[in-house]
Amino acid sequence: MAHVPASERRPQLVRAAIDLMGREGISAGSTRAIATELGVAQATVHYTFGTKEGLYRAVLEQVTLDLIDRVQQAVPEDGSFEQTLGALAAAQWRTVREQPSHYQLLTELLLYAVRTPALSDAPRSHYGEIVEVTADLIGEAAQRTGRTLAQPPALLARFYLAGFEGLVAQHLALPDEASEQAGLRNLVAALVALADGRLDPAQPA
């Protein structure tokens, strides 16, 4: 393969790793296999990322950015507060339906990172970014529609994401579209009730 600058090679390798591990799982993501996927020398992977963990970090960051980008593009700029939150949930769910392998890979990478000292900060970074983006979307929707939030956007975001990730886990293990759609609607309804103050958060015992 012709020489390619490192600035171009890095995203190519990340995409190759996402494609490979999305198909075959994280256990298949050796530096040798990823190099073969792209058709480059294994040394190129090590030169670009230093270690396998460095590559996995880059993959986790890219998968996170891809999912955030798709959701942000799909959220409407008009509509009521409830409609906006419903559109947010629907947009996220489309990514689950269209790219289940990405969510499975994301789950595998996060669990791997928790047990890998060199990546122990990666899950915190991932969830911090996801919560921040979701909280911003909720806060912007409230401001645009003149809705006063009964709870901080970050609390609402964490509540919503906890429920959404539960639905994703069920979809990956035991898919049932009718139940999933009902669960998604109920989650949005509970989120709106919490945002309006009709649902009080439980207090510590």
Side-chain angles (χ1 to χ4, degrees):
M1 182 176 287
H3 173 72
V4 177
S7 60
E8 296 180 24
R9 180 67 76 210
R10 181 182 178 88
Q12 290 176 349
L13 285 167
V14 170
R15 288 298 176 190
I18 291 173
D19 290 343
L20 175 65
M21 291 192 287
R23 294 194 313 268
E24 302 181 23
I26 190 174
S27 61
S30 67
T31 56
R32 181 183 298 278
I34 291 167
T36 301
E37 179 83 3
L38 188 60
V40 299
Q42 185 178 7
T44 300
V45 181
H46 288 287
Y47 175 78
T48 305
F49 298 99
T51 63
K52 181 177 73 173
E53 287 72 27
L55 172 60
Y56 282 14
R57 180 186 294 275
V59 168
L60 177 57
E61 291 172 351
Q62 189 59 57
V63 171
T64 302
L65 288 174
D66 288 346
L67 296 175
I68 287 174
D69 184 61
R70 291 193 63 181
V71 170
Q72 287 179 322
Q73 290 185 29
V75 173
E77 296 181 358
D78 55 8
S80 68
F81 182 70
E82 293 86 345
Q83 289 170 337
T84 301
L85 296 188
L88 167 65
Q92 281 189 286
W93 194 252
R94 280 196 298 274
T95 68
V96 178
R97 297 287 297 171
E98 295 170 2
Q99 297 181 314
S101 63
H102 281 205
Y103 277 90
Q104 189 165 352
L105 174 58
L106 181 60
T107 300
E108 291 180 34
L109 284 170
L110 289 170
L111 291 175
Y112 177 84
V114 167
R115 293 184 174 274
T116 305
L119 293 172
S120 60
D121 63 317
R124 178 183 293 273
S125 177
H126 164 78
Y127 281 111
E129 188 169 0
I130 293 292
V131 168
E132 181 179 0
V133 168
T134 306
D136 286 346
L137 291 173
I138 293 173
E140 289 166 5
Q143 184 176 24
R144 177 176 56 77
T145 59
R147 183 69 60 100
T148 299
L149 297 177
Q151 302 297 335
L155 185 150
L156 297 172
R158 292 177 72 99
F159 172 81
Y160 166 73
L161 291 169
F164 187 85
E165 289 189 3
L167 289 172
V168 172
Q170 291 180 27
H171 174 73
L172 294 176
L174 187 65
D176 182 334
E177 180 65 16
S179 296
E180 292 158 4
Q181 288 298 327
L184 201 61
R185 290 193 298 271
N186 289 333
L187 175 60
V188 172
L191 176 62
V192 172
L194 186 61
D196 285 348
R198 291 179 286 115
L199 178 64
D200 292 328
Q203 299 300 317

mmCIF file of all heavy atoms in Angstrom, residues 70-97:
data_model
loop_
_atom_site.group_PDB
_atom_site.id
_atom_site.type_symbol
_atom_site.label_atom_id
_atom_site.label_comp_id
_atom_site.label_asym_id
_atom_site.label_seq_id
_atom_site.Cartn_x
_atom_site.Cartn_y
_atom_site.Cartn_z
ATOM 1 N N ARG A 70 -24.929 11.294 15.282
ATOM 2 C CA ARG A 70 -26.184 10.879 14.653
ATOM 3 C C ARG A 70 -27.382 11.382 15.438
ATOM 4 O O ARG A 70 -28.393 11.803 14.862
ATOM 5 C CB ARG A 70 -26.237 9.363 14.527
ATOM 6 C CG ARG A 70 -25.243 8.799 13.520
ATOM 7 C CD ARG A 70 -25.540 7.359 13.205
ATOM 8 N NE ARG A 70 -26.854 7.208 12.578
ATOM 9 C CZ ARG A 70 -27.359 6.037 12.215
ATOM 10 N NH1 ARG A 70 -26.687 4.926 12.420
ATOM 11 N NH2 ARG A 70 -28.549 5.970 11.663
ATOM 12 N N VAL A 71 -27.290 11.355 16.754
ATOM 13 C CA VAL A 71 -28.408 11.811 17.580
ATOM 14 C C VAL A 71 -28.572 13.322 17.463
ATOM 15 O O VAL A 71 -29.690 13.836 17.295
ATOM 16 C CB VAL A 71 -28.195 11.399 19.050
ATOM 17 C CG1 VAL A 71 -29.220 12.082 19.945
ATOM 18 C CG2 VAL A 71 -28.302 9.892 19.189
ATOM 19 N N GLN A 72 -27.472 14.063 17.537
ATOM 20 C CA GLN A 72 -27.544 15.519 17.461
ATOM 21 C C GLN A 72 -28.143 15.974 16.136
ATOM 22 O O GLN A 72 -28.902 16.942 16.096
ATOM 23 C CB GLN A 72 -26.156 16.125 17.658
ATOM 24 C CG GLN A 72 -25.657 16.052 19.088
ATOM 25 C CD GLN A 72 -24.269 16.641 19.246
ATOM 26 O OE1 GLN A 72 -23.411 16.475 18.374
ATOM 27 N NE2 GLN A 72 -24.038 17.336 20.336
ATOM 28 N N GLN A 73 -27.814 15.297 15.068
ATOM 29 C CA GLN A 73 -28.346 15.673 13.759
ATOM 30 C C GLN A 73 -29.838 15.384 13.639
ATOM 31 O O GLN A 73 -30.535 16.035 12.861
ATOM 32 C CB GLN A 73 -27.594 14.929 12.650
ATOM 33 C CG GLN A 73 -26.163 15.389 12.460
ATOM 34 C CD GLN A 73 -25.498 14.711 11.278
ATOM 35 O OE1 GLN A 73 -26.155 14.338 10.316
ATOM 36 N NE2 GLN A 73 -24.187 14.542 11.348
ATOM 37 N N ALA A 74 -30.316 14.414 14.404
ATOM 38 C CA ALA A 74 -31.715 13.995 14.280
ATOM 39 C C ALA A 74 -32.670 14.758 15.190
ATOM 40 O O ALA A 74 -33.876 14.729 14.981
ATOM 41 C CB ALA A 74 -31.829 12.498 14.569
ATOM 42 N N VAL A 75 -32.150 15.442 16.197
ATOM 43 C CA VAL A 75 -33.024 16.153 17.134
ATOM 44 C C VAL A 75 -33.618 17.384 16.449
ATOM 45 O O VAL A 75 -32.886 18.197 15.898
ATOM 46 C CB VAL A 75 -32.241 16.572 18.397
ATOM 47 C CG1 VAL A 75 -33.108 17.449 19.291
ATOM 48 C CG2 VAL A 75 -31.796 15.343 19.168
ATOM 49 N N PRO A 76 -34.951 17.541 16.460
ATOM 50 C CA PRO A 76 -35.581 18.674 15.775
ATOM 51 C C PRO A 76 -35.312 19.997 16.469
ATOM 52 O O PRO A 76 -35.049 20.042 17.672
ATOM 53 C CB PRO A 76 -37.071 18.314 15.835
ATOM 54 C CG PRO A 76 -37.205 17.484 17.069
ATOM 55 C CD PRO A 76 -35.927 16.678 17.140
ATOM 56 N N GLU A 77 -35.381 21.070 15.705
ATOM 57 C CA GLU A 77 -35.177 22.403 16.248
ATOM 58 C C GLU A 77 -36.495 23.087 16.580
ATOM 59 O O GLU A 77 -36.507 24.256 16.973
ATOM 60 C CB GLU A 77 -34.370 23.245 15.258
ATOM 61 C CG GLU A 77 -32.963 22.713 15.013
ATOM 62 C CD GLU A 77 -32.165 23.568 14.052
ATOM 63 O OE1 GLU A 77 -32.740 24.561 13.540
ATOM 64 O OE2 GLU A 77 -30.984 23.260 13.817
ATOM 65 N N ASP A 78 -37.603 22.394 16.376
ATOM 66 C CA ASP A 78 -38.902 22.936 16.748
ATOM 67 C C ASP A 78 -39.704 21.824 17.418
ATOM 68 O O ASP A 78 -39.193 20.739 17.661
ATOM 69 C CB ASP A 78 -39.633 23.490 15.529
ATOM 70 C CG ASP A 78 -39.771 22.454 14.413
ATOM 71 O OD1 ASP A 78 -39.434 21.267 14.641
ATOM 72 O OD2 ASP A 78 -40.199 22.826 13.309
ATOM 73 N N GLY A 79 -40.972 22.116 17.739
ATOM 74 C CA GLY A 79 -41.785 21.124 18.438
ATOM 75 C C GLY A 79 -41.779 21.391 19.927
ATOM 76 O O GLY A 79 -40.949 22.123 20.460
ATOM 77 N N SER A 80 -42.708 20.760 20.619
ATOM 78 C CA SER A 80 -42.832 20.944 22.060
ATOM 79 C C SER A 80 -41.690 20.247 22.795
ATOM 80 O O SER A 80 -40.904 19.506 22.204
ATOM 81 C CB SER A 80 -44.174 20.375 22.542
ATOM 82 O OG SER A 80 -44.180 18.956 22.405
ATOM 83 N N PHE A 81 -41.641 20.488 24.098
ATOM 84 C CA PHE A 81 -40.628 19.834 24.929
ATOM 85 C C PHE A 81 -40.793 18.323 24.862
ATOM 86 O O PHE A 81 -39.817 17.590 24.665
ATOM 87 C CB PHE A 81 -40.775 20.325 26.376
ATOM 88 C CG PHE A 81 -39.750 19.766 27.329
ATOM 89 C CD1 PHE A 81 -38.421 20.152 27.253
ATOM 90 C CD2 PHE A 81 -40.129 18.859 28.308
ATOM 91 C CE1 PHE A 81 -37.476 19.638 28.140
ATOM 92 C CE2 PHE A 81 -39.194 18.347 29.193
ATOM 93 C CZ PHE A 81 -37.866 18.740 29.108
ATOM 94 N N GLU A 82 -42.016 17.852 25.006
ATOM 95 C CA GLU A 82 -42.279 16.418 24.954
ATOM 96 C C GLU A 82 -41.920 15.830 23.598
ATOM 97 O O GLU A 82 -41.323 14.746 23.511
ATOM 98 C CB GLU A 82 -43.756 16.142 25.254
ATOM 99 C CG GLU A 82 -44.181 16.460 26.681
ATOM 100 C CD GLU A 82 -44.585 17.917 26.872
ATOM 101 O OE1 GLU A 82 -44.265 18.750 25.976
ATOM 102 O OE2 GLU A 82 -45.205 18.231 27.905
ATOM 103 N N GLN A 83 -42.267 16.542 22.531
ATOM 104 C CA GLN A 83 -41.953 16.067 21.187
ATOM 105 C C GLN A 83 -40.451 15.990 20.953
ATOM 106 O O GLN A 83 -39.959 15.062 20.301
ATOM 107 C CB GLN A 83 -42.601 16.976 20.147
ATOM 108 C CG GLN A 83 -44.109 16.850 20.078
ATOM 109 C CD GLN A 83 -44.739 17.937 19.216
ATOM 110 O OE1 GLN A 83 -44.170 18.997 19.003
ATOM 111 N NE2 GLN A 83 -45.944 17.655 18.717
ATOM 112 N N THR A 84 -39.728 16.959 21.492
ATOM 113 C CA THR A 84 -38.277 16.969 21.322
ATOM 114 C C THR A 84 -37.630 15.791 22.032
ATOM 115 O O THR A 84 -36.757 15.122 21.471
ATOM 116 C CB THR A 84 -37.679 18.290 21.852
ATOM 117 O OG1 THR A 84 -38.263 19.384 21.138
ATOM 118 C CG2 THR A 84 -36.167 18.312 21.659
ATOM 119 N N LEU A 85 -38.070 15.507 23.251
ATOM 120 C CA LEU A 85 -37.520 14.365 23.982
ATOM 121 C C LEU A 85 -37.903 13.055 23.299
ATOM 122 O O LEU A 85 -37.099 12.117 23.245
ATOM 123 C CB LEU A 85 -38.011 14.368 25.430
ATOM 124 C CG LEU A 85 -37.559 15.548 26.298
ATOM 125 C CD1 LEU A 85 -37.956 15.316 27.751
ATOM 126 C CD2 LEU A 85 -36.059 15.786 26.200
ATOM 127 N N GLY A 86 -39.117 12.998 22.764
ATOM 128 C CA GLY A 86 -39.527 11.804 22.027
ATOM 129 C C GLY A 86 -38.679 11.611 20.780
ATOM 130 O O GLY A 86 -38.295 10.475 20.449
ATOM 131 N N ALA A 87 -38.376 12.719 20.088
ATOM 132 C CA ALA A 87 -37.539 12.635 18.892
ATOM 133 C C ALA A 87 -36.116 12.225 19.247
ATOM 134 O O ALA A 87 -35.471 11.465 18.508
ATOM 135 C CB ALA A 87 -37.528 13.976 18.167
ATOM 136 N N LEU A 88 -35.613 12.711 20.380
ATOM 137 C CA LEU A 88 -34.288 12.318 20.850
ATOM 138 C C LEU A 88 -34.229 10.813 21.078
ATOM 139 O O LEU A 88 -33.309 10.132 20.611
ATOM 140 C CB LEU A 88 -33.955 13.064 22.149
ATOM 141 C CG LEU A 88 -32.747 12.551 22.956
ATOM 142 C CD1 LEU A 88 -31.466 12.732 22.162
ATOM 143 C CD2 LEU A 88 -32.653 13.273 24.299
ATOM 144 N N ALA A 89 -35.232 10.287 21.780
ATOM 145 C CA ALA A 89 -35.266 8.852 22.065
ATOM 146 C C ALA A 89 -35.410 8.042 20.780
ATOM 147 O O ALA A 89 -34.740 7.025 20.596
ATOM 148 C CB ALA A 89 -36.421 8.534 23.021
ATOM 149 N N ALA A 90 -36.263 8.514 19.883
ATOM 150 C CA ALA A 90 -36.471 7.794 18.622
ATOM 151 C C ALA A 90 -35.202 7.782 17.783
ATOM 152 O O ALA A 90 -34.862 6.770 17.158
ATOM 153 C CB ALA A 90 -37.619 8.434 17.838
ATOM 154 N N ALA A 91 -34.484 8.914 17.759
ATOM 155 C CA ALA A 91 -33.241 8.989 16.990
ATOM 156 C C ALA A 91 -32.196 8.042 17.558
ATOM 157 O O ALA A 91 -31.497 7.341 16.807
ATOM 158 C CB ALA A 91 -32.712 10.423 16.995
ATOM 159 N N GLN A 92 -32.091 8.007 18.870
ATOM 160 C CA GLN A 92 -31.138 7.093 19.486
ATOM 161 C C GLN A 92 -31.519 5.648 19.208
ATOM 162 O O GLN A 92 -30.648 4.805 18.950
ATOM 163 C CB GLN A 92 -31.071 7.344 20.995
ATOM 164 C CG GLN A 92 -30.228 8.546 21.373
ATOM 165 C CD GLN A 92 -30.018 8.600 22.859
ATOM 166 O OE1 GLN A 92 -30.925 8.945 23.611
ATOM 167 N NE2 GLN A 92 -28.835 8.267 23.303
ATOM 168 N N TRP A 93 -32.819 5.363 19.255
ATOM 169 C CA TRP A 93 -33.236 3.982 19.053
ATOM 170 C C TRP A 93 -32.984 3.538 17.615
ATOM 171 O O TRP A 93 -32.692 2.373 17.367
ATOM 172 C CB TRP A 93 -34.695 3.790 19.444
ATOM 173 C CG TRP A 93 -35.041 2.335 19.561
ATOM 174 C CD1 TRP A 93 -35.813 1.591 18.721
ATOM 175 C CD2 TRP A 93 -34.564 1.437 20.564
ATOM 176 N NE1 TRP A 93 -35.853 0.282 19.142
ATOM 177 C CE2 TRP A 93 -35.097 0.167 20.281
ATOM 178 C CE3 TRP A 93 -33.738 1.597 21.687
ATOM 179 C CZ2 TRP A 93 -34.832 -0.953 21.067
ATOM 180 C CZ3 TRP A 93 -33.486 0.487 22.477
ATOM 181 C CH2 TRP A 93 -34.023 -0.768 22.162
ATOM 182 N N ARG A 94 -33.084 4.452 16.679
ATOM 183 C CA ARG A 94 -32.766 4.101 15.287
ATOM 184 C C ARG A 94 -31.323 3.657 15.155
ATOM 185 O O ARG A 94 -31.012 2.745 14.393
ATOM 186 C CB ARG A 94 -33.040 5.284 14.359
ATOM 187 C CG ARG A 94 -34.500 5.458 13.982
ATOM 188 C CD ARG A 94 -34.664 6.361 12.782
ATOM 189 N NE ARG A 94 -34.169 7.711 13.031
ATOM 190 C CZ ARG A 94 -34.896 8.665 13.583
ATOM 191 N NH1 ARG A 94 -36.150 8.436 13.940
ATOM 192 N NH2 ARG A 94 -34.376 9.863 13.783
ATOM 193 N N THR A 95 -30.425 4.299 15.903
ATOM 194 C CA THR A 95 -29.023 3.874 15.837
ATOM 195 C C THR A 95 -28.856 2.462 16.386
ATOM 196 O O THR A 95 -28.006 1.704 15.922
ATOM 197 C CB THR A 95 -28.098 4.834 16.609
ATOM 198 O OG1 THR A 95 -28.348 4.754 18.014
ATOM 199 C CG2 THR A 95 -28.287 6.278 16.165
ATOM 200 N N VAL A 96 -29.672 2.109 17.387
ATOM 201 C CA VAL A 96 -29.622 0.747 17.934
ATOM 202 C C VAL A 96 -30.114 -0.253 16.899
ATOM 203 O O VAL A 96 -29.505 -1.314 16.689
ATOM 204 C CB VAL A 96 -30.475 0.644 19.216
ATOM 205 C CG1 VAL A 96 -30.471 -0.783 19.748
ATOM 206 C CG2 VAL A 96 -29.962 1.605 20.282
ATOM 207 N N ARG A 97 -31.213 0.078 16.246
ATOM 208 C CA ARG A 97 -31.795 -0.825 15.253
ATOM 209 C C ARG A 97 -30.902 -0.962 14.017
ATOM 210 O O ARG A 97 -30.789 -2.043 13.435
ATOM 211 C CB ARG A 97 -33.165 -0.307 14.825
ATOM 212 C CG ARG A 97 -34.194 -0.246 15.940
ATOM 213 C CD ARG A 97 -34.679 -1.614 16.327
ATOM 214 N NE ARG A 97 -35.377 -2.261 15.207
ATOM 215 C CZ ARG A 97 -35.760 -3.532 15.215
ATOM 216 N NH1 ARG A 97 -35.505 -4.297 16.254
ATOM 217 N NH2 ARG A 97 -36.387 -4.048 14.175
#
